[in-house]
Amino acid sequence: QVQVVESGGDSVQTGGSLRLSCVVSGSSASRLCMGWFRQAPGMREGVAAIDTDGNTNYADSVKGRFTISKDNTKQILYLQMTSLKPEDTAMYYCAADFNAPIAAMTSQDFDYWGQGTQVTVSS
């Protein structure tokens, strides 16, 4: 059973940076498509995703500010977030799946989810 556990959420000021981490167990990370989603009051939205070949996809709202990466040796997924804005405030979730198409970043495509880590950006 694949398990993912997020960490790294914090409270920062506008313009600050954070790096989220997601530790993978139960499968080799190299076999997994993975993504970061976030949820403020309302719908859960895809933020960034990476496939098994290292191809990435980003939501328009975070392009140029966020970077997703995966260290298959360490079994860790990262989300480097810079130039944070108050609208980035949300619970951030790590998700994994063996076959998810990253172009869509649809939550229903991912089978394995973490419990979330809170990111709060104050103005």
Side-chain angles (χ1 to χ4, degrees), residues 50-65:
I50 186 168
D51 68 14
T52 56
D53 292 324
N55 299 307
T56 58
N57 188 33
Y58 296 91
D60 288 342
S61 59
V62 306
K63 281 180 181 176
R65 300 189 299 122

Side-chain angles (χ1 to χ4, degrees), residues 6 11-12 29 34 41-43 48 51 55 58 62 68-69 75 79 91 99 103-104 106-107 114 116:
E6 311 95 331
S11 295
V12 297
M34 299 193 70
M43 193 171 58
D51 68 14
N55 299 307
Y58 296 91
V62 306
I68 188 171
S69 62
Q75 296 275 106
L79 184 68
M91 184 71 79
N99 299 299
T106 303
S107 58

